[in-house]
Amino acid sequence: MSDWKPRLVALDVDGTLVNGRNEMSDAVREAVRATRAAGMEVVISTGRSVPGVMDTADKLGFDHGYAIGSNGSLVFTYRPLEMLRAVTFDASEAVRSILQRMPDVLVAVEEVGVGYRVNRAFPADELGGTITVQEVDELIGEPVTRVIVRSPEHSTEEFREVVADLGLTDTNYYIGYTAWLDIAPVGTSKASGLDFLTQHLGIEQADVLAVGDGNNDVEMLAWAGLGVAMGQALPEVVAAADEVTGTIVDDGVVDVLRRYL
């Protein structure tokens, strides 16, 4: 692939473009901006909701673009915001199953373009946008694009074991680096969102470069013409990728993008 150059570059946010403090280095910002200036379509591809995408776009200095949000449930343009696709599902059974096993967990459902509705307050700065507190029955009373379940009192290992025992076969879910669970519609992922977007734009799958580090990036890295895992990625993420770059501390995404500049 020495003479290969992507037409579309899909970039994860947390752990790829920004660190755990939501900070973006100057080197990352400059490399991503240069990638767009060189004619490649840069797509923010994240588990974040619309406000989180906008925060990333602001850090990059982008006033327009395409984005995959909420792990593929949302595909949209920004400034102006135009929703190209929004996939919803009934999360009530999954949420009730989790609450039976862990009654003290925090639950949030996405309110598209606004923020989240939650059963109780999440730890500071973990959710973006406007936050509204509601009873659980209200949260899951209608189809949603995304559900987040958070258990600050559990370790990631404990949380992973409980979730595995639940057998959530009717949903697609991702466990984060903390005791954080993202629940999405079956068949929905960053890969499915990118598949929709590339068809919309007339770009071949083989012409897509994707970079990410989390469990929610596995499908995207395997789907893309070239999938690159960040250096700190978990083994299952690395296994799905074609290659590995440096860590977020090393600005690993910069090394990938500079090849095509």
Side-chain angles (χ1 to χ4, degrees):
M1 300 181 71
S2 59
D3 60 347
W4 180 82
K5 184 175 181 178
R7 292 184 59 197
L8 185 149
V9 178
L11 299 173
D12 169 51
V13 174
D14 296 283
T16 300
L17 295 180
V18 301
N19 61 22
R21 297 181 297 279
N22 196 31
E23 298 167 339
M24 182 182 294
S25 73
D26 290 340
V28 168
R29 181 180 302 103
E30 291 166 7
V32 176
R33 288 180 61 84
T35 299
R36 172 179 279 190
M40 290 167 272
E41 187 69 63
V42 174
V43 176
I44 297 170
S45 185
T46 179
R48 293 186 178 198
S49 61
V50 173
V53 171
M54 294 299 96
D55 175 72
T56 306
D58 288 341
K59 285 180 168 59
L60 291 168
F62 287 174
D63 59 7
H64 69 280
Y66 292 95
I68 309 297
S70 301
N71 292 318
S73 292
L74 304 178
V75 182
F76 57 95
T77 65
Y78 52 90
R79 299 192 178 107
L81 175 65
E82 179 185 356
M83 201 60 58
L84 302 179
R85 187 178 81 153
V87 182
T88 61
F89 72 117
D90 180 356
S92 57
E93 184 175 346
V95 171
R96 289 194 175 101
S97 296
I98 293 169
L99 286 170
Q100 285 178 355
R101 290 289 299 274
M102 295 182 290
D104 296 328
V105 295
L106 309 177
V107 179
V109 300
E110 181 176 26
E111 195 166 5
V112 176
V114 177
Y116 293 91
R117 295 179 288 122
V118 303
N119 65 333
R120 298 199 312 279
F122 273 57
D125 301 323
E126 286 197 348
L127 299 177
T130 301
I131 309 300
T132 303
V133 178
Q134 292 182 338
E135 295 294 328
V136 170
D137 286 344
E138 290 183 86
L139 299 182
I140 58 178
E142 57 186 30
V144 295
T145 54
R146 177 191 186 191
V147 174
I148 297 169
V149 178
R150 183 76 164 90
S151 184
E153 294 77 22
H154 288 81
S155 70
T156 304
E157 292 72 23
E158 292 171 335
F159 194 62
R160 190 182 298 272
E161 289 176 5
V162 171
V163 172
D165 288 343
L166 290 173
L168 301 176
T169 56
D170 294 332
T171 60
N172 198 13
Y173 68 89
Y174 307 98
I175 298 175
Y177 287 108
T178 59
W180 173 291
L181 176 70
D182 258 308
I183 307 176
V186 168
T188 301
S189 66
K190 292 183 182 182
S192 68
L194 283 168
D195 186 60
F196 172 88
L197 181 59
T198 51
Q199 291 185 52
H200 176 76
L201 296 175
I203 294 174
E204 296 293 327
Q205 176 181 349
D207 293 326
V208 175
L209 163 66
V211 188
D213 77 308
N215 287 325
N216 60 342
D217 294 311
V218 167
E219 295 94 339
M220 176 176 76
L221 299 184
W223 177 90
L226 178 63
V228 181
M230 295 291 289
Q232 77 278 0
L234 296 171
E236 54 266 36
V237 182
V238 172
D242 298 296
E243 59 181 79
V244 181
T245 187
T247 68
I248 182 67
V249 175
D250 302 323
D251 290 334
V253 68
V254 174
D255 294 333
V256 179
L257 298 179
R258 281 180 177 164
R259 301 178 198 168
Y260 309 107
L261 302 177

